[in-house]
Amino acid sequence: MAPRTTVLVTGGAGFIGSHTCVELLDHGYDVVVVDDYSNSSPGALDRVAKIAARPPVAVHELDLLDRRALSRVFDEHRIDAVIHFAARKAVGESVELPVEYYDTNVGGTTALLRVMRDHEVHRLVFSSSCSIYGAAARVPITEQDPAAPTNPYAASKWLCEQVLADTCRHLPELSVLALRYFNPVGAHPSGLLGEVPRTAVPNNVMPYLARVAAGRLPGLSVFGDDYPTADGTGVRDYIHVMDVAEGHRAALEHLDDESGMRVFNLGTGQGTSVLELVAAFQRACGRPIPYEITGRRPGDVSALVADPGGVARAWNWTTRRDLAAMCEDAWRFQECNPSGYPD
Ligand code: WQD
């Protein structure tokens, strides 16, 4: 029997990381997780072990900037490929803490690359973001559209992509796939795994809606209805977190197609306004969602929608879940876990 492929998942206890761990474990991969739990909970990995066909091989609590600790993980396990999620990811916070964002996101990536190089591990899937496109001139957005990051978080992701591209030119055996996620939302259909914001009041709209529906927040503030969109509210490309997880498994299976750096959008190609999302969530939870229109949130853009043709042509891969499933799964997770994971 061929040895299993062992994948190191950095940030594996996070929202997308934990769902990706389930997907990999369910499909025969061995998974090693590193996480510092700064924006995640060990409880998520207990849930991964509960849901998945097998538990992760090992979990190491560490800061990626600690290269000696990270190197020991590569000494202990035969790592075949890495999926790098670990990063700070809040746009607003990045404006307040730019140095911390560049240190964690860019410094963490260069530390990982140095340890991978030392251990001759040459396959990497990188978690990038649609936020690098900034206020895109057009939608849908293709990978060829220009990067125009408008905040330190987005700039840190764009910088990481440059670091990876330069490193691939320096190390020709290196194969890197950077995935630019649009808006990952939803939860594992079991209701055991989902999005658990660390902040008392969620920044992102989907977990906020879930708490309004649960009666834990009085109502949603809709940040502006004067955008040049059909109903004036912000339009985004929401993608089910399980589709994002499957997209990472597809990326692993295509890392050996060629060496070098390749970039793909990960979105559905469908734009949804805030008011359309409110209506969809009301249908999913069967309860009214009170909301009021307020001013725009600084830094928000009008519309971000992916052209998903890149992965469709390269991998024959498309998303499978619709907005109703995203809302139903997010609501089920909220109902099953009113206060998140027991730490
Ligand atoms: C979605 C829409 C808001 C909250 C975020 C991250 C970004 C990326 C994707 C990682 C917008 C509106 C929101 C609220 C609202 N993540 N909204 N009331 O900002 O598109 O992107 O996820 O890469 O970095 O910032 O997501 O959920 O915050 O906002 O009206 O209370 O909902 O204006 O139109 P965003 P979001």
Side-chain angles (χ1 to χ4, degrees):
M1 181 176 176
R4 293 183 193 278
T5 299
T6 300
V7 182
L8 174 71
V9 180
T10 76
F15 174 40
I16 301 171
S18 56
H19 287 79
T20 301
C21 286
V22 170
E23 177 69 13
L24 298 185
L25 290 164
D26 283 353
H27 287 83
Y29 290 90
D30 278 342
V31 169
V32 174
V33 173
V34 295
D35 204 304
D36 66 1
Y37 302 127
S38 58
N39 189 30
S40 58
S41 153
L45 294 174
D46 296 337
R47 298 295 181 86
V48 168
K50 203 169 193 176
I51 302 170
R54 294 172 297 112
V57 166
V59 177
H60 298 268
E61 181 175 356
L62 62 80
D63 180 339
L64 279 185
L65 294 175
D66 182 348
R67 288 210 319 270
R68 292 166 69 92
L70 183 62
S71 191
R72 281 196 294 274
V73 175
F74 281 74
D75 290 335
E76 279 178 43
H77 307 281
R78 182 185 48 77
I79 304 295
D80 297 299
V82 180
I83 301 182
H84 179 32
F85 291 109
R88 292 170 177 258
K89 66 167 188 172
V91 168
E93 185 187 52
S94 79
V95 175
E96 305 302 319
L97 300 171
V99 174
E100 287 77 4
Y101 267 69
Y102 289 115
D103 197 24
T104 300
N105 295 0
V106 184
T109 300
T110 55
L112 174 65
L113 286 171
R114 294 178 72 166
V115 173
M116 286 177 66
R117 182 185 58 192
D118 295 347
H119 291 80
E120 299 184 352
V121 176
H122 304 309
R123 300 159 79 229
L124 172 65
V125 179
F126 175 70
S127 165
S128 192
S129 169
C130 65
S131 56
I132 70 159
Y133 294 114
R138 63 176 184 177
V139 291
I141 301 168
T142 74
E143 293 87 351
Q144 289 69 47
D145 282 312
T150 58
N151 58 74
Y153 162 73
S156 75
K157 287 296 185 178
W158 176 231
L159 269 174
C160 286
E161 287 193 19
Q162 306 312 303
V163 167
L164 292 166
D166 286 343
T167 307
C168 284
R169 282 187 279 273
H170 165 59
L171 297 174
E173 65 276 16
L174 186 58
S175 171
V176 175
L177 281 168
L179 304 181
R180 292 173 179 168
Y181 314 151
F182 280 68
N183 286 51
V185 294
H188 189 273
S190 66
L192 290 173
L193 203 56
E195 188 171 7
V196 181
R198 297 298 274 183
T199 50
V201 177
N203 291 314
N204 294 136
V205 69
M206 188 66 102
Y208 199 108
L209 284 170
R211 292 196 189 175
V212 172
R216 296 183 59 197
L217 289 168
L220 177 74
S221 298
V222 176
F223 296 147
D225 67 347
D226 57 350
Y227 286 102
T229 61
D231 64 17
T233 63
V235 170
R236 295 293 184 273
D237 183 332
Y238 298 98
I239 176 173
H240 198 294
V241 65
M242 290 309 295
D243 277 331
V244 176
E246 290 179 7
H248 283 77
R249 179 164 60 89
L252 280 177
E253 291 161 4
H254 287 277
L255 271 170
D256 290 339
D257 292 357
E258 53 190 278
S259 62
M261 168 87 164
R262 287 159 287 157
V263 176
F264 289 106
N265 288 336
L266 216 47
T268 66
Q270 299 297 316
T272 300
S273 75
V274 180
L275 292 181
E276 288 169 335
L277 185 64
V278 169
F281 204 91
Q282 282 183 152
R283 288 191 295 273
C285 69
R287 306 176 178 193
I289 301 281
Y291 68 85
E292 62 169 345
I293 305 294
T294 63
R296 292 183 178 191
R297 177 173 64 177
D300 270 352
V301 297
S302 164
L304 281 172
V305 178
D307 177 332
V311 287
R313 287 186 296 274
W315 303 345
N316 189 28
W317 187 87
T318 57
T319 56
R320 297 194 295 126
R321 297 157 179 92
D322 63 9
L323 189 67
M326 297 176 210
C327 294
E328 287 156 11
D329 291 341
W331 174 235
R332 182 181 308 107
F333 178 74
Q334 173 65 48
E335 282 198 302
C336 297
N337 305 274
S339 48
Y341 299 128
D343 259 326

